[in-house]
Amino acid sequence: MTLSDPVMFLSLLVFLPALAALVIAFLPRDNTEAIKFTALGVTIFTFILTLGLFRSSADGVDFQAGVARMQDLFAVSWIPSFGIQYFMGLDGISFPLVVLTAFLSVLAMGASWPIKKHVKAYCILFLLLETGMLGVFMALDFFLFYVFWEVMLLPMYFLIGVWGGPRREYAAIKFFLYTLVGSVLMLIAILMLYFHSDLTRLNPAQLADAGIVPIDVVGDEAPSESEIQAAYDEWLASDDALAAQLTAAAESDAKTPVHTFNILALQQMGQHTDLFDGEMWMGQTIQWWAFLLLFIGFVIKVPSVPLHTWLPDAHVEAPTPISMILAGVLLKMGGYGIIRICYPICPQAGYDLAYFVCAIGVISMVWGAFAALAQNDFKRMVAYSSVSHMGYVVLGLGVWSMGTWANGSYNADYWKMGVNGAMFQMIAHGISSAGMFFMVGVVYDRVHHRNLNEFGGLFAKMPVYSGLAVGIFFAGLGLPGLCGFIGEVLVVLAVWKYSYVLAIISAAVVILTAAYILWAIQRVYLGAEYKGPHGEALTPITMRELAIASPLMALAVILGVYPNALFRYMQPSVDHQVEQLAAWTEQYDANQAEVQQAFRGEARQVVLTDALSD
Amino acid sequence: MDSSWLPTLLALAWLTPLASFVFILFFGKHAGPHGRFAGTVATGAIVFSCVLSFVAMFGAWLPNNELPEAHHGDHAAGGDHDEHAEDGEHADEADHETFIRPAASPFLLASSGGDRGTISLVADTAEGEGDSAEHHIAPNGKPPAVYGVFYNLVTFGKLKLDISYYIDALTVTMFCVVTLIASCVHFYAIGYMHDELHEPYTDHEVTLTDGTHLVRKGRFYRFFQYLSLFCFSMLGIVIAGNLAMAFVFWELVGICSYFLIGFYIERHSASTAANKAFIVNRVGDFGMLIGMMALWSSLGTFAFGDTQNDQGEVTEPGMFSVLRTEENHYALAPTESMEVEGARVVGEGEEGESSHAGQWLLLIAGVGVFCGCVGKSAQFPLHVWLPDAMEGPTPVSALVHSATMVAAGVYLTGRVYPIFTPEALLVIAVIGCITLFVAATIAITALDIKRVLAYSTVSQLGYMMLALGIGGWSAGIFHLITHACFKGLLFMCSGSVIHAVHTNDMSYMGGLRKKMPITAYTMLVGCLAIIGAGIPTSMYGLSGYYSKDAIIEQAWSFAGANRGNPLLSILLIAPVIGAAITAFYMFRLWYMTFAGEPRDHHRYDHAHESPRVMTMPLVVLAVCAIAIGWSVPGTNLSITSLLEQAQPVGTTPGAEGVLAENLVVPAEQLSHVKAVKIPAGWAAFSAAAFGVLLATIIYLWRMLNPAEIRDSFKPLYAFLWNKWYFDELYDLIFVKPTHWISGLIAKFDRGIIDGIIHGTAATAKAAASIVSNVGDRTLVDGTVNAFANRTWDFGLMLRRLQTGSLRTYVLAIAMGTWITYMLVSFIMVARGTG
């Protein structure tokens, strides 16, 4: 067991912050500098570990660009009686988010320097939070995912509730209850799916795709059937607990199902079997309900209108670094859940509810933009801009834009564009919104107010800061050459193929976005005089602040000018998933057409028996 | 030089200003005293770009692409583009064979039924010009162009977004024009912005709360930083090889314009004007996005040119090639995918009847893309930002808001010209027509010298759009180029005046020609150029003479071709009246500023001619304003021949409406015949002469008192003075409702949604207390006591847990959640399997 083993490497990556939190617990309470530096060192080391994945090595742990499948996959049996595994891995969808999380954690820890109260507890909770966030993005076992989800929730509650502003308790409880409702809905859906899952229904190839049958593959080449069969036989013969279970289930006559929490296996079941197609309640299928519950759970996190009101309060009350994490990482978990769990596991529900999902996205975009325009609190305005920007993510993930090529085959290119755009937007928003919150924090630390109407003239007093701030706000505005533009334009261009009405509404948001951001810039940075209190405290940006702001600005420019820097890691996996869903849709549409034809031919009975025996 | 050098040369010319921007961004403040050398760096960069552009033009473009001999897109063989020439010839042959083509083909002679005017015009072509061997106009093939990809932004299957280049005669010409004018403006700005080198700089326009004027550090370097970024962005639009890339740089010039308008960030009016400019432009971009979406989802490409493999075969046809195929004789026809996509939007047609879904989609796409151009080129109804943009320093007004950026809208309209259906062209023409008239009328009453010029810019842009819309592609683009020269000149002259008298208000000027002769007479050249001074129907005149007459001729030809629809003759009447108004307000401006006696002696006494670094660019541009319309003696090299070479594919024969059946867009070539040229030329001349005469009578000879005229037309005057009340109207119907809605939404969040949440919480709390109270009362005491004892013990135990340490709490909550979950799952397992 060395670091070149994925189990060790990824576990270290996830649990290092938690271990460090444990170590900090034993440090003396008064030595705040040492505690802060330890915490910062740990976040930096964690970030370096994620960077280590970029290095390509023959035998070690790495993340290869241009590969669609899960990489560095490992599974360790955890609670065998429920088929729960310690199962993690990375692909193009999760890897960028993991890097973003580690990166923003470093910056947020750097931004935590002005924290004076209970530094020790703060650092412990912060590091626990990082473990939770990293774990959510890497976990591939539903149970593990849920555990990490909750682990992340609790430190956040305390970080807002203890270190927040004047209404911190209200905000923290609101955040907690909202998220808890989401968690409960998610838990119900997880159990629903668990009890309807059955590993015996998957064939060897699907088991291999689900990461259950270990198989050596190089690059993105699909293994041949014989290779899969050989690997499968070898696996069945091994002393793997799951293999034994499957063998037992196959041998017994009772057809006992083998349940699983394996997300990849659930995806295979959702797409290739009818396990989740049974009717559940009110004429809807299991997967329809599971999708809805999961979607609501995730969309609370995104957050989308009308489940978004926790966000402005949480942001306004949270301390600056926590706002950065909240906007930069936590909101992404919602989007990540939708793309990783909702769609691949419940494709039919996604297909049926696509318009609903897109409409939620568009409403959030418009709603958030209008609400941002009305705010007088700087941070609240930025918070609402997050609601608006994350609407693009939901919209992009939701577009089920299937076109057909001239020869009648399915054309998923626009769909790929939408989903890739949404994923890009998640990363871009992680950068720009974290930057915006930090920029607000910088002035708040100096003048202790956030009233937009009591600023002005900051350009003269803090020129470097103002330049960077305006740059980052423009990234949020979606200016070409900066990261915000790519995601927005890809999503908006892709939507027309699905629904031109939604496309037109979403395109109109660019006007509102420009309005609220430019107006805020005018009120804060431009003008002749500072209008608020503590004008003397407006000192130029410090080196520490510069060190936090400039990487964000640099990343915003790099991703805006050369988006392939991100797409080369992300796109293969996203494309692969969309292709699978497209294949599923093609199959589904063909079946539907067949069924309809059969109905027309008054061969109802035949079809039903066919369908039952299928 | 081989034409393969073109991309390298132009890319270098394009990127040099970017390098200058980056340098000034990081080091500008410390480059010399107060950042003085930033100006040198930026100027050096743009001059270098200018040299490269001219090298590209004379070294790489012209030697490889012979200019057309006549008014025909028939390219002589040579260079790398033999295949294009062959295309053209091929098309010609096809035309000889089938003289009368199907009705869909835009063919004037055969189709416009009963329109004798047109036929006679064509006959005149043969007799009068004698240079056309054919009696009909064949559609031209693809113009010679170099297309390629710099790098790929992102690819999704067959969908590609690239940073690419499309270089044809228009691109190279625009590079030369933009960099030349930008160089002049840079030199000029070194003089004009000299004040910013002073440390500290006092801004007399800004009064602080304590009554003093604002004193701040100079920002000389920052001005040049923005200028460099602007030049980079502008050249980016020009070189763009696809619509998406054009959109990227479109937004970037928008942001540069924002920075430059708001250069005096301390002035509230400046930052407000900057916001207004950007937001109004975004309204246009919204339309542009819709147009782009319509094209993207139906064609799957934004490319202007075709991607070829090594064998020269087209592997990925661009937009224009898809819409105007060679098989279809380069006539515009929606593709099959467009029909399908369009049907989704406008619905299927009736049984057995075509719904023209593809045509409708093309119309949406065309009008959508044009919306972006409406914003950028300040066309009605989005023209309101441009006059306010004059808050920026004058060199900016000269470069950005008259010569180049605002012309980018016209440029893009000209660039994507092949996708416009006749109906879309009509929209363009009508918008242009309204704009040119509205803006010209407002310019009559304005007193701010820069605002007069601003409205004049809007009006001239309207002319260009009108020309493009009525089929005068080269006329419109030609006017864009001549206008860039003389309007740049006019603005810089006005800047020179403002620099001298420290006010924009013309009522404080007068008689300045004695004090600043160079400025006065170069400005007179500009005025003469803008009104199109020249000897009517001859070959001699200033640059504006050629381009403006070309527009009026095309309008004349258009009105003739659409005689069936008298309403369309407004498209001829308006520009002629507009020409008179233009002449009037331009000479009003000149007389009020330079002629007569000084109105403000204090300012007059302090006025002085500007330094040489400012006047030299004036002279250079004045020469351009005079001569840019001429051809190089002894050759046929001129702007017009270059534009003819760049004529967009398939657009020479004009077009006929499909959705609007009677609409005819006449071929541009037809406007060169004598039957059109002579009356149109005289009309333009007499209109301009009338305008000048009226201005002379009122403002030079003072035979009429302007104040009396004003009083006798009071309501009209107020209407014009208030700019047709556009700002007030927009405030009422857009700005106020937006704020109202946003306030409402914010209230909804706090009131309704949070109200529901709070209500739920309160209800849950109440229910909990009821349960506990009821439980208390009904439970038997003994049980309670027994429980109480146990509870007491339990509490004692719990007390030890209450450590006050967050760590313990977190652990407890995590464990608790987990245990709850386990319980639930056990129950579920028991039920599920048992």
Side-chain angles (χ1 to χ4, degrees):
Chain A
M1 283 258 181
T2 61
L3 259 189
S4 58
D5 191 338
V7 184
M8 290 304 288
F9 195 92
L10 296 193
S11 302
L12 183 68
L13 186 55
V14 172
F15 290 106
L16 182 71
L19 285 176
L22 196 67
V23 172
I24 288 177
F26 291 105
L27 286 179
R29 180 191 297 264
D30 302 328
N31 197 347
T32 57
E33 284 296 299
I35 292 172
K36 278 180 187 168
F37 274 111
T38 314
L40 181 65
V42 170
T43 55
I44 291 175
F45 188 71
T46 313
F47 180 51
I48 291 173
L49 280 182
T50 63
L51 291 184
L53 290 166
F54 281 102
R55 137 202 91 101
S56 67
S57 59
D59 55 337
V61 182
D62 61 357
F63 188 87
Q64 290 161 19
V67 175
R69 67 185 158 77
M70 277 286 167
Q71 304 185 45
D72 305 326
L73 200 65
F74 70 83
V76 177
S77 192
W78 181 18
I79 309 173
S81 46
F82 293 103
I84 294 170
Q85 288 179 310
Y86 178 54
F87 181 37
M88 298 208 279
L90 290 168
D91 71 350
I93 296 172
S94 53
F95 178 64
L97 289 165
V98 167
V99 178
L100 178 79
T101 305
F103 174 67
L104 285 182
S105 296
V106 176
L107 298 188
M109 196 57 227
S112 303
W113 241 246
I115 300 274
K116 296 280 178 284
K117 187 162 111 183
H118 305 310
V119 174
K120 183 169 156 182
Y122 176 88
C123 289
I124 291 172
L125 287 168
F126 186 92
L127 291 171
L128 284 177
L129 177 66
E130 188 179 0
T131 288
M133 295 187 299
L134 290 170
V136 166
F137 290 132
M138 287 195 223
L140 291 175
D141 184 282
F142 228 149
F143 182 80
L144 188 63
F145 177 86
Y146 186 76
V147 169
F148 279 124
W149 186 277
E150 295 298 312
V151 163
M152 159 216 84
L153 174 62
L154 290 162
M156 202 62 189
Y157 167 72
F158 287 110
L159 285 167
I160 297 173
V162 177
W163 287 269
R167 291 173 73 232
R168 55 180 175 260
E169 277 151 22
Y170 170 77
I173 287 178
K174 202 170 177 181
F175 163 79
F176 192 84
L177 287 181
Y178 254 110
T179 322
L180 201 66
V181 169
S183 307
V184 168
L185 297 180
M186 196 161 88
L187 185 63
I188 297 171
I190 290 175
L191 294 177
M192 267 163 56
L193 290 173
Y194 174 76
F195 286 112
H196 288 97
S197 65
D198 186 359
L199 277 178
T200 57
R201 296 283 300 275
L202 296 183
N203 64 28
Q206 289 160 353
L207 284 173
D209 279 344
I212 292 173
V213 173
I215 188 162
D216 279 332
V217 275
V218 182
D220 233 1
E221 266 175 68
S224 72
E225 241 172 79
S226 58
E227 276 172 355
I228 293 174
Q229 195 59 43
Y232 178 66
D233 292 340
E234 195 186 325
W235 174 72
L236 272 188
S238 72
D239 54 356
D240 189 280
L242 203 56
Q245 231 176 328
L246 272 186
T247 325
E251 280 164 4
S252 77
D253 300 330
K255 281 206 164 183
T256 353
V258 179
H259 299 318
T260 185
F261 280 111
N262 182 322
I263 291 177
L264 300 181
L266 290 171
Q267 293 179 354
Q268 296 293 332
M269 290 170 203
Q271 290 170 29
H272 301 298
T273 71
D274 58 357
L275 283 167
F276 306 140
D277 292 348
E279 189 180 319
M280 189 174 173
W281 192 40
M282 287 171 67
Q284 300 295 355
T285 56
I286 297 155
Q287 61 164 307
W288 194 89
W289 284 106
F291 182 94
L292 197 67
L293 293 174
L294 288 168
F295 181 71
I296 294 172
F298 291 132
V299 109
I300 286 176
K301 204 90 201 170
V302 166
S304 288
V305 176
L307 301 171
H308 65 291
T309 56
W310 65 269
L311 185 82
D313 284 313
H315 270 306
V316 165
E317 300 307 325
T320 303
I322 301 310
S323 281
M324 288 169 73
I325 291 286
L326 192 58
V329 183
L330 257 67
L331 307 191
K332 309 301 168 296
M333 292 181 175
Y336 174 75
I338 292 172
I339 187 174
R340 168 72 83 220
I341 292 167
C342 284
Y343 278 103
I345 296 184
C346 315
Q348 195 196 323
Y351 187 56
D352 292 344
L353 290 170
Y355 202 89
F356 167 74
V357 173
C358 292
I360 292 274
V362 170
I363 291 170
S364 302
M365 286 161 66
V366 177
W367 191 277
F370 267 118
L373 199 57
Q375 302 307 321
N376 283 321
D377 183 310
F378 203 175
K379 223 171 169 184
R380 230 181 148 80
M381 185 221 94
V382 178
Y384 271 112
S385 86
S386 281
V387 175
S388 179
H389 285 135
M390 289 303 286
Y392 285 96
V393 175
V394 176
L395 176 63
L397 294 179
V399 283
W400 207 277
S401 37
M402 296 291 290
T404 44
W405 292 113
N407 61 9
S409 67
Y410 273 74
N411 164 10
D413 288 354
Y414 292 93
W415 190 357
K416 286 179 192 166
M417 182 167 163
V419 178
N420 272 299
M423 281 300 296
F424 194 95
Q425 173 76 355
M426 288 223 264
I427 305 292
H429 178 259
I431 292 164
S432 66
S433 69
M436 287 197 266
F437 278 114
F438 178 69
M439 288 309 184
V440 177
V442 168
V443 281
Y444 184 75
D445 285 346
R446 284 167 173 69
V447 297
H448 302 291
H449 80 89
R450 288 184 305 258
N451 186 345
L452 278 171
N453 295 321
E454 290 190 357
F455 285 110
L458 258 56
F459 236 116
K461 300 195 174 199
M462 313 169 69
V464 178
Y465 158 74
S466 302
L468 280 169
V470 169
I472 285 174
F473 275 94
F474 278 143
L477 183 149
L479 190 73
L482 298 171
C483 58
F485 173 75
I486 305 281
E488 287 180 20
V489 86
L490 292 184
V491 169
V492 169
L493 282 180
V495 175
W496 179 281
K497 198 82 183 174
Y498 177 67
S499 156
Y500 63 93
V501 177
L502 294 179
I504 290 172
I505 301 173
S506 62
V509 176
V510 297
I511 306 170
L512 291 171
T513 313
Y516 69 75
I517 288 196
L518 292 185
W519 196 30
I521 288 177
Q522 184 188 19
R523 287 188 283 176
V524 176
Y525 300 105
L526 312 183
E529 284 174 293
Y530 174 70
K531 300 192 202 71
H534 308 297
E536 71 289 343
L538 286 169
T539 48
I541 191 168
T542 63
M543 285 312 285
R544 179 184 64 81
E545 289 161 344
L546 193 64
I548 295 167
S550 35
L552 288 169
M553 186 72 230
L555 265 182
V557 174
I558 291 168
L559 290 185
V561 175
Y562 189 65
N564 259 331
L566 177 56
F567 276 127
R568 58 196 290 257
Y569 292 99
M570 191 169 80
Q571 201 186 349
S573 300
V574 177
D575 283 0
H576 179 64
Q577 172 156 334
V578 172
E579 273 157 19
Q580 281 184 327
L581 289 178
W584 176 87
T585 315
E586 202 163 356
Q587 182 70 38
Y588 178 76
D589 280 355
N591 288 346
Q592 290 296 103
E594 222 169 86
V595 170
Q596 270 178 4
Q597 227 163 21
F599 268 108
R600 274 191 209 135
E602 288 179 295
R604 208 169 292 201
Q605 209 54 43
V606 184
V607 178
L608 282 178
T609 44
D610 269 8
L612 287 174
S613 64
D614 192 22
Chain B
M1 248 184 279
D2 202 49
S3 62
S4 59
W5 276 89
L6 277 169
T8 321
L9 283 171
L10 293 188
L12 207 56
W14 170 42
L15 294 175
T16 312
L18 179 67
S20 154
F21 163 74
V22 173
F23 175 81
I24 302 174
L25 175 68
F26 287 109
F27 310 108
K29 200 172 182 178
H30 309 290
H34 313 301
R36 177 190 294 270
F37 295 140
T40 324
V41 170
T43 313
I46 194 68
V47 169
F48 182 61
S49 294
C50 186
V51 170
L52 284 175
S53 306
F54 276 93
V55 169
M57 170 67 102
F58 291 100
W61 180 262
L62 289 175
N64 294 307
N65 299 281
E66 213 166 293
L67 288 168
E69 289 290 328
H71 294 296
H72 193 64
D74 191 3
H75 311 297
D80 288 349
H81 299 284
D82 293 10
E83 72 276 9
H84 294 304
E86 278 162 24
D87 288 348
E89 278 160 23
H90 180 73
D92 289 357
E93 281 163 27
D95 292 339
H96 285 300
E97 284 161 24
T98 53
F99 189 76
I100 296 170
R101 284 206 244 96
S105 99
F107 187 55
L108 264 176
L109 244 190
S111 48
S112 48
D115 196 337
R116 276 168 39 214
T118 321
I119 293 173
S120 69
L121 291 182
V122 178
D124 274 355
T125 318
E127 293 166 22
E129 301 281 308
D131 57 5
S132 174
E134 298 136 359
H135 287 246
H136 63 282
I137 299 144
N140 58 330
K142 292 171 203 159
V146 188
Y147 172 81
V149 174
F150 286 125
Y151 74 96
N152 175 258
L153 274 180
V154 57
T155 306
F156 303 103
K158 293 185 181 167
L159 307 173
K160 283 191 181 130
L161 289 176
D162 295 317
I163 296 296
S164 55
Y165 54 85
Y166 179 82
I167 299 168
D168 63 357
L170 176 62
T171 311
V172 186
T173 313
M174 282 297 286
F175 254 84
C176 294
V177 171
V178 169
T179 53
L180 179 70
I181 293 175
S183 302
C184 291
V185 169
H186 273 72
F187 275 112
Y188 176 86
I190 291 179
Y192 189 87
M193 300 304 285
H194 195 264
D195 283 356
E196 291 281 349
L197 284 172
H198 294 182
E199 194 90 25
Y201 172 89
T202 310
D203 192 337
H204 295 280
E205 306 258 325
V206 181
T207 311
L208 301 180
T209 36
D210 57 6
T212 57
H213 287 305
L214 174 81
V215 177
R216 61 168 169 86
K217 286 181 183 164
R219 282 198 294 258
F220 187 74
Y221 61 96
R222 194 171 286 157
F223 182 76
F224 283 94
Q225 172 190 332
Y226 295 151
L227 272 192
S228 284
L229 183 63
F230 169 76
C231 291
F232 161 70
S233 316
M234 182 67 210
L235 294 176
I237 295 183
V238 177
I239 203 173
N242 61 65
L243 192 56
M245 179 181 169
F247 184 72
V248 164
F249 288 96
W250 192 257
E251 292 278 296
L252 282 182
V253 289
I255 208 70
C256 296
S257 156
Y258 167 85
F259 284 131
L260 287 166
I261 297 170
F263 181 74
Y264 299 112
I265 51 172
E266 291 84 3
R267 301 181 188 168
H268 187 71
S269 57
S271 56
T272 309
N275 282 359
K276 185 173 174 184
F278 196 82
I279 293 168
V280 171
N281 265 299
R282 275 259 163 146
V283 176
D285 292 347
F286 159 56
M288 189 161 168
L289 266 176
I290 293 176
M292 284 169 68
M293 290 189 278
L295 287 171
W296 184 244
S297 52
S298 56
L299 299 179
T301 178
F302 281 141
F304 295 148
D306 305 333
T307 308
Q308 294 172 341
N309 60 11
D310 295 337
Q311 284 80 47
E313 292 158 3
V314 174
T315 50
E316 292 164 24
M319 278 199 296
F320 304 155
S321 306
V322 175
L323 287 172
R324 291 177 182 266
T325 56
E326 201 180 325
E327 295 79 49
N328 197 22
H329 303 291
Y330 303 111
L332 183 61
T335 61
E336 215 173 292
S337 55
M338 266 197 141
E339 296 285 356
V340 174
E341 192 62 35
R344 217 165 54 82
V345 180
V346 296
E348 301 276 354
E350 297 285 310
E351 202 77 19
E353 191 188 328
S354 169
S355 69
H356 294 306
Q359 285 285 343
W360 276 107
L361 194 69
L362 260 181
L363 180 63
I364 292 171
V367 172
V369 172
F370 175 65
C371 277
C373 305
V374 166
K376 193 106 317 184
S377 285
Q379 299 292 293
F380 167 85
L382 300 180
H383 63 280
V384 289
W385 67 271
L386 187 61
D388 287 14
M390 298 303 133
E391 288 288 340
T394 307
V396 172
S397 311
L399 178 64
V400 181
H401 301 120
S402 71
T404 54
M405 186 193 86
V406 289
V410 180
Y411 172 80
L412 192 71
T413 309
R415 176 54 85 208
V416 298
Y417 205 64
I419 71 161
F420 290 123
T421 60
E423 295 78 17
L425 288 177
L426 183 66
V427 172
I428 296 173
V430 169
I431 294 287
C433 182
I434 296 173
T435 310
L436 84 88
F437 184 74
V438 169
T441 56
I442 299 174
I444 299 174
T445 56
L447 276 176
D448 182 323
I449 186 168
K450 279 177 77 179
R451 279 189 185 249
V452 175
L453 291 176
Y455 279 109
S456 145
T457 305
V458 176
S459 171
Q460 298 300 314
L461 292 167
Y463 270 102
M464 299 170 207
M465 287 297 188
L466 171 72
L468 293 173
I470 54 179
W473 185 84
S474 6
I477 302 287
F478 188 24
H479 196 57
L480 155 65
I481 291 164
T482 57
H483 174 260
C485 294
F486 58 67
K487 191 50 70 63
L489 169 67
L490 286 168
F491 260 110
M492 283 155 70
C493 290
S494 78
S496 176
V497 172
I498 294 165
H499 197 68
V501 296
H502 298 291
T503 178
N504 289 6
D505 194 335
M506 291 193 293
S507 45
Y508 295 107
M509 300 174 188
L512 287 169
R513 72 181 183 286
K514 289 167 206 141
K515 284 278 190 165
M516 31 198 336
I518 303 179
T519 308
Y521 293 110
T522 47
M523 192 157 193
L524 185 62
V525 169
C527 290
L528 287 171
I530 198 174
I531 68 167
I535 302 164
T537 70
S538 77
M539 308 226 340
Y540 309 102
L542 274 62
S543 60
Y545 165 70
Y546 303 98
S547 55
K548 188 166 268 182
D549 275 20
I551 294 174
I552 306 256
E553 282 161 19
Q554 182 66 21
W556 198 280
S557 161
F558 182 83
N562 290 287
R563 210 163 288 173
N565 191 346
L567 213 56
L568 290 182
S569 58
I570 294 173
L571 297 182
L572 169 63
I573 298 165
V576 174
I577 297 176
I581 304 177
T582 308
F584 175 77
Y585 66 69
M586 285 317 297
F587 273 82
R588 167 178 176 266
L589 180 148
W590 199 85
Y591 291 142
M592 283 182 82
T593 312
F594 296 108
E597 292 304 310
R599 294 187 191 79
D600 184 329
H601 282 280
H602 175 72
R603 289 183 193 271
Y604 179 79
D605 294 339
H606 285 82
H608 54 86
E609 182 60 282
S610 300
R612 185 161 297 173
V613 71
M614 286 169 73
T615 52
M616 283 317 290
L618 296 184
V619 175
V620 172
L621 279 185
V623 172
C624 288
I626 294 172
I628 197 141
W630 301 348
S631 56
V632 177
T635 66
N636 63 343
L637 171 62
S638 66
I639 302 280
T640 25
S641 61
L642 276 168
L643 291 182
E644 224 159 278
Q645 194 181 33
Q647 179 79 30
V649 52
T651 52
T652 34
E656 271 186 12
V658 177
L659 303 173
E661 279 172 5
N662 296 323
L663 180 67
V664 178
V665 178
E668 190 163 17
Q669 201 180 318
L670 297 178
S671 70
H672 300 313
V673 301
K674 276 186 180 161
V676 172
K677 207 175 170 74
I678 293 173
W682 279 108
F685 178 79
S686 39
F690 174 74
V692 175
L693 186 69
L694 196 63
T696 314
I697 289 172
I698 299 175
Y699 293 99
L700 188 65
W701 298 336
R702 302 194 176 276
M703 293 160 79
L704 292 168
N705 187 349
E708 278 172 22
I709 303 172
R710 199 182 305 155
D711 288 341
S712 43
F713 295 100
K714 208 154 197 177
L716 182 64
Y717 176 80
F719 185 64
L720 295 182
W721 177 252
N722 288 298
K723 303 167 273 182
W724 292 44
Y725 298 102
F726 274 113
D727 283 336
E728 289 77 6
L729 183 71
Y730 289 174
D731 192 55
L732 196 70
I733 63 174
F734 296 119
V735 180
K736 288 223 167 76
T738 305
H739 280 292
W740 184 73
I741 293 172
S742 68
L744 209 64
I745 280 184
K747 277 204 195 94
F748 189 91
D749 266 9
R750 290 215 151 167
I752 313 279
I753 297 185
D754 275 0
I756 292 171
I757 303 284
H758 295 163
T760 317
T763 316
K765 219 170 151 184
S769 72
I770 289 170
V771 167
S772 85
N773 286 340
V774 170
D776 271 3
R777 282 174 199 155
T778 48
L779 276 177
V780 187
D781 280 20
T783 333
V784 172
N785 287 340
F787 251 93
N789 290 337
R790 291 277 171 82
T791 314
W792 181 251
D793 295 344
F794 190 56
L796 283 179
M797 197 182 83
L798 274 182
R799 203 163 68 177
R800 274 179 292 163
L801 285 177
Q802 194 168 358
T803 55
S805 148
L806 280 172
R807 261 194 336 277
T808 328
Y809 288 155
V810 172
L811 191 70
I813 294 174
M815 292 298 288
T817 316
W818 184 68
I819 289 167
T820 316
Y821 164 69
M822 290 304 288
L823 283 174
V824 171
S825 48
F826 269 112
I827 295 163
M828 296 286 276
V829 170
R831 283 194 186 159
T833 55

